[in-house]
Amino acid sequence: MVVELISVGTELLLGNIVNTNAQFLAEKCASLGLSMYHQVTVGDNRERLAEDINTALQRADIIILTGGLGPTEDDITKEVCAEVMGFKLVEDPHTRERIETYFKDGIYPVITENNWKQALIPEGCKVLDNHNGTAPGLILEKAGKAAILLPGPFNELKPLFLDAVSPYLQELQPEVIRSQMIKICGHGESQVADQIKDLIAAQTNPTIAPYAKTAEVHLRVTARAADDETAKSLIKPVVKEIKNRFGDDIYTTKEEETLEMAVVRLLKKYELTVTTAESCTGGLIAGRLVNVSGASEVFREGFVTYSNKAKRKILDVSKGTLKKYGAVSEQTAKEMATGGVFATDADVCIAVTGIAGPSTEGDKPVGLVYIACYMKDKVKVEEYHFKGNRDKIREQAVVKSLDLLRRSILTNYRG
């Protein structure tokens, strides 16, 4: 079954916002076993949008349109799609009631006349209740084709897709599609591909699809079968073989679990507390950890010691160490990690110091980063030479720091 994505909004063409919707929908459609050959971005223009909808309906079974469902005049997706597919717009009492309730219970109690535009729907279509906004999702079906209309804001689109659209798409599939995600740290995309090239060469069903992330590689193993149990049985041996090859470099096989979530899970499991001591990353590691629900149980404190003075005062890094080896050194990273533990009485401290650029520091190059982890009265320090701009270097340093923390816990506490 072929699906096509149309992203609507002049702000996308101008680069005012990043199209996170397209990335999310493409990945989810792939996991459902749908083929996507085209993605289109079009501005708020009736003629061009109508042309793109007509073209998409000719070459795809399903089209997903995002954006343009708001109350203003330039929100035209619903109107144009209904016109192209031959639907009349009628007011939906259920949606009107939901809009009234949304405003009554919200921070903006006044309903303006243009809000009622969102209560108009193509006659006979499926209405998907949007619990995070006023624009409902819509499914228009005609002549074996379907158009799925979703609101543009990602915090509305994502739950609506997961709760309503994904089950709808699954029902259209003649086969069951099941996927298993494997997330790996410590290897680049080419290294991972090389280690599983025999599996990829021999694949038929299930298939293995690699996705490169910053300092991570994700593998999606997908199987098609007549039923869910058969699909699971096809996936299981492939996942087992990949686990055998990568071992502890795999931090999760759960779709929604991030690296920081995996770290917090381990900290909770072994009843450990953690402190962060950051220089070049400026609090990004702490930020990733506290984004995880329940992190307050394990996160003790976060220090941003950007200056040498802060390193001495807060983390007790010796003046002699800074003078002899510099702020960016194995010795300084080690003392930062040690100082973080003793300053907060935490079980663990992860520390990072480096040169994110664009300027070098003496004879030390941009991208040089030292990451240290204090655990059980021992400090492990790793040296990295990251490539890329300032943001890329800092992002890589954060991922490697979290991964060092994760691997250190496994080494020291796993039975």
Side-chain angles (χ1 to χ4, degrees), residues 21 80 122 166 183 193 242 255 262 277 305 387:
N21 291 342
V80 174
S166 183
K183 299 184 180 182
I242 293 172
E255 175 85 31
T305 54
K387 303 297 182 184

Side-chain angles (χ1 to χ4, degrees), residues 111-297:
I111 305 177
T112 57
E113 190 61 33
N114 58 1
N115 285 117
W116 300 125
K117 173 188 174 186
Q118 295 179 301
L120 296 175
I121 68 163
E123 190 173 28
C125 77
K126 290 183 172 70
V127 179
L128 312 177
D129 288 343
N130 178 1
H131 301 291
N132 299 283
T134 54
L138 303 167
I139 300 178
L140 288 67
E141 296 174 316
K142 192 169 187 179
K145 305 281 185 172
I148 302 171
L149 280 58
L150 296 173
F154 187 66
N155 60 359
E156 298 180 29
L157 176 144
K158 181 179 178 180
L160 194 54
F161 182 89
L162 294 176
D163 295 341
V165 178
S166 183
Y168 168 80
L169 294 174
Q170 286 177 322
E171 289 181 3
L172 297 181
Q173 289 285 72
E175 298 174 299
V176 170
I177 307 295
R178 172 166 282 275
S179 292
Q180 177 80 60
M181 182 67 82
I182 302 170
K183 299 184 180 182
I184 301 168
C185 263
H187 297 269
E189 183 182 19
S190 59
Q191 292 175 307
V192 171
D194 186 63
Q195 286 189 238
I196 61 170
K197 61 184 178 183
D198 59 317
L199 299 179
I200 292 176
Q203 69 182 5
T204 51
N205 184 28
T207 58
I208 305 170
Y211 302 90
K213 308 289 182 179
T214 299
E216 297 183 32
V217 179
H218 297 178
L219 299 175
R220 183 184 294 281
V221 183
T222 304
R224 298 170 180 263
D227 56 76
D228 195 54
E229 286 303 313
T230 303
K232 285 181 183 178
S233 67
L234 290 170
I235 288 173
K236 188 175 180 179
V238 177
V239 172
K240 183 179 179 181
E241 179 58 29
I242 293 172
K243 284 183 176 180
N244 288 338
R245 298 188 186 192
F246 291 98
D248 286 344
D249 291 330
I250 296 172
Y251 69 83
T252 190
T253 55
K254 297 178 181 177
E255 175 85 31
E256 299 300 325
E257 187 170 54
T258 62
L259 179 56
E260 55 267 31
M261 289 167 69
V263 169
V264 170
R265 170 170 51 81
L266 286 174
L267 289 166
K268 288 181 178 180
K269 179 179 180 179
Y270 296 106
E271 298 181 344
L272 302 173
T273 55
V274 64
T275 287
T276 57
E278 304 181 60
S279 185
C280 63
T281 48
L284 293 175
I285 301 169
R288 288 274 292 264
L289 289 171
V290 299
N291 275 341
V292 180
S293 177
S296 57
E297 298 175 34

Side-chain angles (χ1 to χ4, degrees), residues 14 22 24 44 49 111 147 157 259 275 278 312 333 405:
L14 295 176
F24 170 78
D44 303 307
L49 177 55
I111 305 177
L157 176 144
L259 179 56
T275 287
E278 304 181 60
R312 295 197 309 268
L405 174 55

